[in-house]
């Protein structure tokens, strides 16, 4: 049977213009068209929302051999009805689990990783970085190995997992900056140990969160950068000078900025101001309404001007009922009816986020601190730029066809369809 190109129509998430996307059988975006005011179809440029190339050929529904209405399984998905929007797939650089699946509890099976990946597609996430946190040496080795096995067993899972984010154990041992990480396993940065884990992961460790307060940090950062691992500063009690030295060594991100910190700090200088001031650092933050107040996010967005990115930091309790739970990170925790997750022994300390990325996008936009399109970009195109993959992802000609079709009703985002590499991996029921 001859395979047809996939075609989707809808409203561009940023401009509101009606667009049509054509996807090749290889899973790449081959054409993007937009209607002008008199109904003519013109090709959108690959490098900007507002720039058009005049005189492009018409692309009437199905005229290129594609499907304006594609049917998969028992129902259909139609774009372009004035209510369905199209946006780049969400990219979550920090996710610990969800829907009862914990990426940090053993035994972790490849089947669990695959199942979690499928659930994330329902939320509009097309790429994510499973986050393995502080644990024993052997336990980390087994966890990253299970993630690698899932990627090898299931091609779509392997395409959806951009890499592994190792958050710890090279973090601050101090109460506060350490957060809920188990102090028994906190240790100085160790390149040989990291290489052991990298081997077990099938070379999938792509992001490392560490604290630069350790004397070993600058050298390990340099070696990580040389080997293609992005280093992010987090859970730190480092001095401003140590923060600056980390950036000079190649650290390029801040992990969940404003969290994993002392409850009380010198007004200045301190490690938060220093990270905000360093233009070299991308700034990841959680917008669930609990981790950092909106006033801090407002300052963050102004200071980072295009280098702010949203992460979920979701743990396995995301999507679960409120109540008391026991977790690997933090032990006894409480998930409140409002969605706040905190340590049972210290309610003032959070134990991760219980909000998925699309919900964080909606909450941030509703806060009035930025537009919906800007919030979505901070969870899609900004992470892609931060990891150096901006040419792979996005609604641009030649990019991999990772995109989401959604509706916005009553302040909520409803995912209608998620497409990964040109393959519809999730479609909502009619």
């Amino acid at each position: 049977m001859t395979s047809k190109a996939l075609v989707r129509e809808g409203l561009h998430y940023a401009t509101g213009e009606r667009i049509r996307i054509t996807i090749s059988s290889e899973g790449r975006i081959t054409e993007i068209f937009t209607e002008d005011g008199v109904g003519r179809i013109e090709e959108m440029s690959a490098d900007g929302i507002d720039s058009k190339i005049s005189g492009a050929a018409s692309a009437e529904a199905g005229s290129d051999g594609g499907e304006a209405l594609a049917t998969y399984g028992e129902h259909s998905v139609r774009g372009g009805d004035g209510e369905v929007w199209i946006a780049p797939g969400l990219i979550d650089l920090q996710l610990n689990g969800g829907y009862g699946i914990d990426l940090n509890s053993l035994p972790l099976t490849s089947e669990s990783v695959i199942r979690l990946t499928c659930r994330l597609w329902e939320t509009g996430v097309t790429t994510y970085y499973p986050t393995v946190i502080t644990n024993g040496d052997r336990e980390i080795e087994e966890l990253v190995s299970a993630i690698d096995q899932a990627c090898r067993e299931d091609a779509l899972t392997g395409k959806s997992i951009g890499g592994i984010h190792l958050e710890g154990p090279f973090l601050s041992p101090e109460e506060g900056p350490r957060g809920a990480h188990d102090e028994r396993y906190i240790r100085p940065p160790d390149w040989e140990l990291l290489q052991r884990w990298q081997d077990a992961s099938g070379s999938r460790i792509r992001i490392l969160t560490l604290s630069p307060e350790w004397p070993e940090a600058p050298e390990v950062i340099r070696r990580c950068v040389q080997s293609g691992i992005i280093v992010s500063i987090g859970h730190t009690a480092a001095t401003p000078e140590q923060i600056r030295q980390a950036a000079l060594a190649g650290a390029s991100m801040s992990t969940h900025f404003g969290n994993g910190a002392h409850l009380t700090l010198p007004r200045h200088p301190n490690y938060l101001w220093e990270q905000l001031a360093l233009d070299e650092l991308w700034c990841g933050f959680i917008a669930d309404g609990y981790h950092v107040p909106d006033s801090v996010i407002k300052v963050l967005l102004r200071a980072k001007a295009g280098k702010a990115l949203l992460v979920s930091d979701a743990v396995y309790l995301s999507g679960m009922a409120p109540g008391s739970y026991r977790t690997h990170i933090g032990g006894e925790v409480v998930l409140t009816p409002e969605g706040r997750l905190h340590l049972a022994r210290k309610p003032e300390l959070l134990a991760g986020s219980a909000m998925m990325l699309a919900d964080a996008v909606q909450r941030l936009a509703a806060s009035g601190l930025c537009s919906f399109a800007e919030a979505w970009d901070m969870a899609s195109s900004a992470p892609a730029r931060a990891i150096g993959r901006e040419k792979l992802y996005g609604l641009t000609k030649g990019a991999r066809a990772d995109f989401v079709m959604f509706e916005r009703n009553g302040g909520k985002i409803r995912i209608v369809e998620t497409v990964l590499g040109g393959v519809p991996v999730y479609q909502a029921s009619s």
Side-chain angles (χ1 to χ4, degrees):
M1 182 176 69
T2 303
S3 62
K4 294 183 178 180
L6 188 70
V7 173
R8 287 293 183 268
E9 296 179 1
L11 301 182
H12 192 283
Y13 75 107
T15 68
E17 294 177 285
R18 189 178 307 281
I19 63 171
R20 178 179 294 123
I21 301 176
T22 303
I23 301 98
S24 70
S25 57
E26 290 78 27
R28 296 277 176 174
I29 296 175
T30 57
E31 293 175 321
I32 304 177
F33 294 91
T34 181
E35 284 184 327
D36 68 9
V38 295
R40 190 171 69 251
I41 304 293
E42 296 179 333
E43 186 178 3
M44 292 187 74
S45 73
D47 57 358
I49 293 172
D50 298 320
S51 174
K52 298 180 182 179
I53 302 172
S54 60
S58 174
E60 297 299 330
S63 65
D64 57 358
E67 304 164 90
L69 174 64
T71 303
Y72 298 90
E74 299 177 353
H75 57 278
S76 302
V77 173
R78 185 188 295 276
D81 61 1
E83 298 179 355
V84 177
W85 300 76
I86 302 180
L90 297 174
I91 300 174
D92 199 342
L93 300 184
Q94 187 176 4
L95 183 135
N96 309 279
Y99 307 101
I101 300 169
D102 189 355
L103 294 171
N104 286 282
S105 288
L106 289 170
L108 177 65
T109 65
S110 57
E111 186 275 332
S112 294
V113 177
I114 295 168
R115 187 154 42 92
L116 174 61
T117 305
C118 293
R119 294 302 304 269
L120 292 175
W121 294 334
E122 299 175 21
T123 71
V125 171
T126 51
T127 300
Y128 75 106
Y129 285 65
T131 302
V132 175
I133 57 94
T134 301
N135 209 324
D137 297 356
R138 180 186 59 80
E139 286 80 2
I140 290 177
E141 186 173 345
E142 291 184 21
L143 291 166
V144 298
S145 177
I147 295 168
D148 173 52
Q149 183 178 347
C151 293
R152 289 186 284 106
E153 288 181 3
D154 184 77
L156 287 174
T157 295
K159 186 172 287 188
S160 199
I161 291 178
I164 294 172
H165 182 163
L166 184 60
E167 184 187 354
F170 312 138
L171 308 178
S172 176
E174 293 190 25
E175 182 80 6
R178 189 179 68 251
H181 288 249
D182 194 330
E183 62 183 324
R184 294 177 298 169
Y185 303 119
I186 298 294
R187 58 185 299 162
D190 184 328
W191 175 252
E192 284 69 30
L193 182 58
L194 178 60
Q195 286 303 107
R196 169 181 153 190
W197 293 330
Q198 184 70 298
D199 291 342
S201 75
S203 297
R204 295 186 190 274
I205 296 175
R206 303 287 170 80
I207 303 174
L208 172 67
T209 291
L210 58 69
S211 170
E213 67 197 73
W214 300 95
E216 299 87 350
E219 178 60 24
V220 170
I221 292 171
R222 280 190 286 270
R223 299 184 75 169
C224 282
V225 173
Q226 290 169 359
S227 67
I229 298 174
I230 294 166
V231 177
S232 188
I233 297 171
H235 289 280
T236 185
T239 66
E241 176 60 25
Q242 288 170 328
I243 297 289
R244 290 192 293 271
Q245 289 301 317
L248 285 173
S252 58
M253 281 179 25
S254 295
T255 294
H256 52 47
F257 180 82
N259 302 113
H262 294 98
L263 294 179
T264 303
L265 282 171
R267 70 181 170 174
H268 51 71
N270 63 55
Y271 46 76
L272 295 181
W273 284 119
E274 201 63 39
Q275 289 178 77
L276 276 181
L278 285 173
D279 294 335
E280 299 94 321
L281 298 179
W282 286 84
C283 192
F285 69 101
I286 305 166
D288 62 356
Y290 302 110
H291 278 74
V292 284
D294 285 349
S295 58
V296 173
I297 294 177
K298 184 176 183 179
V299 173
L300 185 158
L301 295 181
R302 292 185 177 183
K304 285 303 175 179
K307 297 194 81 168
L309 55 90
L310 273 171
V311 297
S312 73
D313 196 26
V315 299
Y316 86 99
L317 297 174
S318 299
M320 304 286 280
S324 297
Y325 295 90
R326 181 166 184 81
T327 67
H328 161 67
I329 177 168
E332 297 294 332
V333 300
V334 175
L335 177 61
T336 70
E338 296 77 25
R340 185 178 188 272
L341 183 65
H342 63 80
L343 299 183
R345 62 183 175 85
K346 283 196 172 185
E348 70 273 17
L349 292 182
L350 297 169
S353 166
M355 178 179 285
M356 287 300 181
L357 201 53
D359 295 323
V361 167
Q362 181 62 35
R363 202 213 71 82
L364 181 60
S367 73
L369 295 175
C370 63
S371 69
F372 178 84
E374 288 169 333
W376 192 281
D377 282 342
M378 280 186 267
S380 57
S381 61
R385 295 196 307 274
I387 59 175
R389 308 297 297 277
E390 60 269 25
K391 292 185 178 179
L392 178 62
Y393 305 117
L395 291 183
T396 59
K397 187 174 180 178
R400 197 171 80 180
D402 293 1
F403 62 89
V404 177
M405 302 184 70
F406 62 89
E407 298 171 340
R408 295 182 69 193
N409 297 315
K412 297 288 186 180
I413 296 173
R414 176 180 178 266
I415 304 299
V416 175
E417 181 180 43
T418 301
V419 176
L420 174 66
V423 177
V425 292
Y426 169 73
Q427 292 179 325
S429 299
S430 300

